[in-house]
Amino acid sequence: MPRDHMHPDQRSPAAAGAPLSSAETPFLELLARGASGDAYEQPVLLARAEGRSTEWIVALEQAKLLALRVRSELEGRRRREAELSALFETAHDLAGLRDLDAVLQAIVQRARSLLGTDVAYLSLNDPARGDTYMRVTEGSVAARFQQLRLGMGEGLGGLVAQTARPYVTDDYFKDGRFQHTLTIDAGVRDEGLVAILGVPLTLGHHVIGVLFAADRRARVFEREQIALLGSFAALAAAALDTANLLTETRSALADLERANEIIRDRSGVIERASDVHDRLAQLVLHGGGVHDVAAAVSQVLDGTVEFTEAATTPARALETARAEGHAVRHGDDWIAAVIAGGELLGALVLRGHPGLDPVDQSTLERAATVTSLLLLARRSAAEAEQRVRGELLDDLLDARDRDPRLLRERAARLYADLDATHVVLAARLDVTSADADQEASARRRLWSAASHLAATRHGLAAARDGGTVLVLPLEGGDTATAVARRTARHLGTAVQESVTVGASAPVEAPAAHPEAVAAAYDESRRCLDALRLLGRSGDGAAAEDFGFLGLLLAGDRDIAGFVDRTIGQVVAYDERRGTDLLQTLDAYFACGMSPARTKDDLHVHVNTVAQRLERVGRLLGADWQSPARVLEIQLALRLHRLSAPTQR
């Protein structure tokens, strides 16, 4: 049929006067009114029913998939916004703490609402009676359940308290990991609970209780939900700590009332504690950052407080502060660890203030807690950026036909310059755990630390092949070896484990040469494997560090570079002076390193051979005749001969 006589629906949408982009219109309307996921099939079904063209159907299908992705992303953002809002509201309640029960009730209510569970409840340990009891419940209907008192170590809560780790069961009565008792099982049965998640409430390294979320049906809790409940548990522990601190303060005030001198000595300290409490609350409410917290505490404590990375903080003092859960003195400074969920995020350091009052010490510790909350609140946004960086790096490694212009634009939005020279690094943990969860957690920490490093260095990072791959810019005067070693130290300190890093040779303009990035990644992995085989776990290196073995590791087989590094000074000397040092070296090795036989082969005096070898030693170093150097020099000599033009 002639084209001009085709039915309008048999032609392409563009030919029919309707651009392909118009296929997106019904889906934009669905997005605008917040329609359900099922509604997104209707435009496609309607088009099929109307007999629209194949091109139109394909365009609709593509628009539908894109709209569903946007809808999913919007829902995820709304969910994260709701979670962050609840955490900030709870932090606000904590900042204005007047009624501990009201704060704990609000925490449990918000946890139940955001996780969408039937029941949420909080239990606290009773050291005096040696058991644990229900403190707050939400959604519970069974009186016996609400009044449960459990022996230490019993039930799922006992397992959480013993290990100080979250535990989850999708069917309580079929789970044999924890100790069942008649009392507990009866209470759980009365309440009708099936799936239960418990996370610890910790102060320092002590578990003081457990926060639970439970459903009356089988359910699998996601990692994000476990982390969210852990954040609420941290706030509940902070509320209890604050209440205890207020109780201690009131008791101290009662004692101070009996002595005016003590009142005068302590009044300034209490005012400072109240001041920092209000300042920190305002910072949380107005979206302040960690450096704002440090500045506020500096004013209150009349000193200089700084937030420092874990890698730049004295390791022993930081580890003590982390283990004890309190600020510790280091020389004239005080160090308070900033911790979230067992992960070390950094430290608050009070400089030059050795005589710190106990209340001021608590103020520094409280500021460290607030700092950890702020870092957690911003982590969700950072993780989104990390995923974008990882996707860009995956495209560089896997999709080598990507448009360089689009790669540059995507990188620019991440403040990365893919036209600069970069180094590709492969990083991997050097320890394996029998516990799969622990090993997975360690890998996640490695990826998180690598992503943070990539963001600060304007590079890229992604989890890959059981480890992490980074692409970092090579600054002037730096080398691939230096970058690899520095990265190994940085990541090892961040994750508290040994990390080995292999580096590629520099890659120029990765956006224009994506295939070079993939080859460089293979080279960095070979270098990483070589380090581990050589027993250099926890170190960093590039192929150039392995001498002639580097030829086997390097993706581009940089023979000229190897020859130049090994005997380049001798070659240059011969070219400048017109000498025969290379010929003498060849003859020397061919004669079994015997000067007497060498002088016969060259038809010169033995003293001439000795003088030439002495000159070689000054050019190559005193150890040039060691077995390892001899092997490399002989290989370089042979490669030099093979690469030299044939003399006619």
Side-chain angles (χ1 to χ4, degrees), residues 619-631:
L619 292 171
L620 299 184
D623 64 338
W624 73 277
Q625 297 192 72
S626 65
R629 291 289 306 279
V630 164
L631 180 60

PDB file of all heavy atoms in Angstrom, residues 619-631:
ATOM      1  N   LEU A 619      75.546   4.163  38.510  1.00  0.00           N
ATOM      2  CA  LEU A 619      74.312   4.538  37.813  1.00  0.00           C
ATOM      3  C   LEU A 619      73.099   3.746  38.312  1.00  0.00           C
ATOM      4  O   LEU A 619      71.994   4.293  38.423  1.00  0.00           O
ATOM      5  CB  LEU A 619      74.477   4.314  36.297  1.00  0.00           C
ATOM      6  CG  LEU A 619      75.470   5.235  35.585  1.00  0.00           C
ATOM      7  CD1 LEU A 619      75.687   4.764  34.155  1.00  0.00           C
ATOM      8  CD2 LEU A 619      74.967   6.683  35.595  1.00  0.00           C
ATOM      9  N   LEU A 620      73.276   2.469  38.592  1.00  0.00           N
ATOM     10  CA  LEU A 620      72.141   1.605  38.947  1.00  0.00           C
ATOM     11  C   LEU A 620      71.984   1.376  40.439  1.00  0.00           C
ATOM     12  O   LEU A 620      70.955   0.861  40.879  1.00  0.00           O
ATOM     13  CB  LEU A 620      72.276   0.239  38.249  1.00  0.00           C
ATOM     14  CG  LEU A 620      72.298   0.259  36.725  1.00  0.00           C
ATOM     15  CD1 LEU A 620      72.334  -1.165  36.194  1.00  0.00           C
ATOM     16  CD2 LEU A 620      71.080   0.996  36.177  1.00  0.00           C
ATOM     17  N   GLY A 621      72.958   1.724  41.244  1.00  0.00           N
ATOM     18  CA  GLY A 621      72.873   1.496  42.678  1.00  0.00           C
ATOM     19  C   GLY A 621      73.771   0.361  43.117  1.00  0.00           C
ATOM     20  O   GLY A 621      74.098  -0.557  42.344  1.00  0.00           O
ATOM     21  N   ALA A 622      74.143   0.389  44.414  1.00  0.00           N
ATOM     22  CA  ALA A 622      75.125  -0.574  44.919  1.00  0.00           C
ATOM     23  C   ALA A 622      74.618  -2.008  44.867  1.00  0.00           C
ATOM     24  O   ALA A 622      75.411  -2.955  44.835  1.00  0.00           O
ATOM     25  CB  ALA A 622      75.509  -0.202  46.359  1.00  0.00           C
ATOM     26  N   ASP A 623      73.272  -2.212  44.877  1.00  0.00           N
ATOM     27  CA  ASP A 623      72.740  -3.576  44.923  1.00  0.00           C
ATOM     28  C   ASP A 623      72.442  -4.136  43.535  1.00  0.00           C
ATOM     29  O   ASP A 623      71.694  -5.097  43.395  1.00  0.00           O
ATOM     30  CB  ASP A 623      71.449  -3.603  45.752  1.00  0.00           C
ATOM     31  CG  ASP A 623      70.347  -2.784  45.118  1.00  0.00           C
ATOM     32  OD1 ASP A 623      70.663  -1.881  44.312  1.00  0.00           O
ATOM     33  OD2 ASP A 623      69.165  -3.044  45.422  1.00  0.00           O
ATOM     34  N   TRP A 624      73.047  -3.571  42.491  1.00  0.00           N
ATOM     35  CA  TRP A 624      72.668  -3.985  41.136  1.00  0.00           C
ATOM     36  C   TRP A 624      73.046  -5.432  40.829  1.00  0.00           C
ATOM     37  O   TRP A 624      72.486  -6.034  39.909  1.00  0.00           O
ATOM     38  CB  TRP A 624      73.282  -3.037  40.101  1.00  0.00           C
ATOM     39  CG  TRP A 624      74.777  -3.185  39.888  1.00  0.00           C
ATOM     40  CD1 TRP A 624      75.759  -2.633  40.635  1.00  0.00           C
ATOM     41  CD2 TRP A 624      75.426  -3.932  38.854  1.00  0.00           C
ATOM     42  NE1 TRP A 624      76.994  -2.972  40.157  1.00  0.00           N
ATOM     43  CE2 TRP A 624      76.813  -3.772  39.045  1.00  0.00           C
ATOM     44  CE3 TRP A 624      74.977  -4.711  37.795  1.00  0.00           C
ATOM     45  CZ2 TRP A 624      77.747  -4.370  38.214  1.00  0.00           C
ATOM     46  CZ3 TRP A 624      75.906  -5.305  36.959  1.00  0.00           C
ATOM     47  CH2 TRP A 624      77.269  -5.142  37.168  1.00  0.00           C
ATOM     48  N   GLN A 625      73.982  -6.013  41.590  1.00  0.00           N
ATOM     49  CA  GLN A 625      74.374  -7.404  41.347  1.00  0.00           C
ATOM     50  C   GLN A 625      73.664  -8.391  42.280  1.00  0.00           C
ATOM     51  O   GLN A 625      74.014  -9.567  42.300  1.00  0.00           O
ATOM     52  CB  GLN A 625      75.889  -7.551  41.485  1.00  0.00           C
ATOM     53  CG  GLN A 625      76.676  -6.744  40.453  1.00  0.00           C
ATOM     54  CD  GLN A 625      78.144  -7.119  40.414  1.00  0.00           C
ATOM     55  OE1 GLN A 625      78.507  -8.198  39.940  1.00  0.00           O
ATOM     56  NE2 GLN A 625      78.990  -6.237  40.935  1.00  0.00           N
ATOM     57  N   SER A 626      72.651  -7.914  43.048  1.00  0.00           N
ATOM     58  CA  SER A 626      71.868  -8.847  43.864  1.00  0.00           C
ATOM     59  C   SER A 626      71.043  -9.727  42.935  1.00  0.00           C
ATOM     60  O   SER A 626      70.702  -9.327  41.811  1.00  0.00           O
ATOM     61  CB  SER A 626      70.951  -8.083  44.817  1.00  0.00           C
ATOM     62  OG  SER A 626      69.987  -7.346  44.100  1.00  0.00           O
ATOM     63  N   PRO A 627      70.686 -10.951  43.362  1.00  0.00           N
ATOM     64  CA  PRO A 627      69.968 -11.881  42.458  1.00  0.00           C
ATOM     65  C   PRO A 627      68.720 -11.271  41.839  1.00  0.00           C
ATOM     66  O   PRO A 627      68.479 -11.422  40.635  1.00  0.00           O
ATOM     67  CB  PRO A 627      69.633 -13.059  43.376  1.00  0.00           C
ATOM     68  CG  PRO A 627      70.718 -13.039  44.415  1.00  0.00           C
ATOM     69  CD  PRO A 627      71.024 -11.591  44.648  1.00  0.00           C
ATOM     70  N   ALA A 628      67.905 -10.575  42.650  1.00  0.00           N
ATOM     71  CA  ALA A 628      66.653 -10.023  42.122  1.00  0.00           C
ATOM     72  C   ALA A 628      66.936  -8.951  41.073  1.00  0.00           C
ATOM     73  O   ALA A 628      66.307  -8.907  40.004  1.00  0.00           O
ATOM     74  CB  ALA A 628      65.801  -9.452  43.258  1.00  0.00           C
ATOM     75  N   ARG A 629      67.893  -8.050  41.357  1.00  0.00           N
ATOM     76  CA  ARG A 629      68.214  -6.983  40.407  1.00  0.00           C
ATOM     77  C   ARG A 629      68.867  -7.554  39.143  1.00  0.00           C
ATOM     78  O   ARG A 629      68.606  -7.068  38.033  1.00  0.00           O
ATOM     79  CB  ARG A 629      69.154  -5.965  41.053  1.00  0.00           C
ATOM     80  CG  ARG A 629      68.550  -5.121  42.169  1.00  0.00           C
ATOM     81  CD  ARG A 629      67.544  -4.105  41.652  1.00  0.00           C
ATOM     82  NE  ARG A 629      68.043  -3.234  40.618  1.00  0.00           N
ATOM     83  CZ  ARG A 629      68.790  -2.144  40.815  1.00  0.00           C
ATOM     84  NH1 ARG A 629      69.105  -1.802  42.069  1.00  0.00           N
ATOM     85  NH2 ARG A 629      69.192  -1.395  39.814  1.00  0.00           N
ATOM     86  N   VAL A 630      69.726  -8.569  39.304  1.00  0.00           N
ATOM     87  CA  VAL A 630      70.383  -9.172  38.142  1.00  0.00           C
ATOM     88  C   VAL A 630      69.343  -9.724  37.169  1.00  0.00           C
ATOM     89  O   VAL A 630      69.441  -9.552  35.945  1.00  0.00           O
ATOM     90  CB  VAL A 630      71.358 -10.279  38.594  1.00  0.00           C
ATOM     91  CG1 VAL A 630      71.743 -11.160  37.405  1.00  0.00           C
ATOM     92  CG2 VAL A 630      72.605  -9.665  39.209  1.00  0.00           C
ATOM     93  N   LEU A 631      68.306 -10.395  37.728  1.00  0.00           N
ATOM     94  CA  LEU A 631      67.267 -10.964  36.875  1.00  0.00           C
ATOM     95  C   LEU A 631      66.546  -9.866  36.092  1.00  0.00           C
ATOM     96  O   LEU A 631      66.331  -9.982  34.880  1.00  0.00           O
ATOM     97  CB  LEU A 631      66.269 -11.740  37.734  1.00  0.00           C
ATOM     98  CG  LEU A 631      65.104 -12.409  36.999  1.00  0.00           C
ATOM     99  CD1 LEU A 631      65.613 -13.414  35.976  1.00  0.00           C
ATOM    100  CD2 LEU A 631      64.163 -13.083  37.997  1.00  0.00           C
TER     101      LEU A 631
END
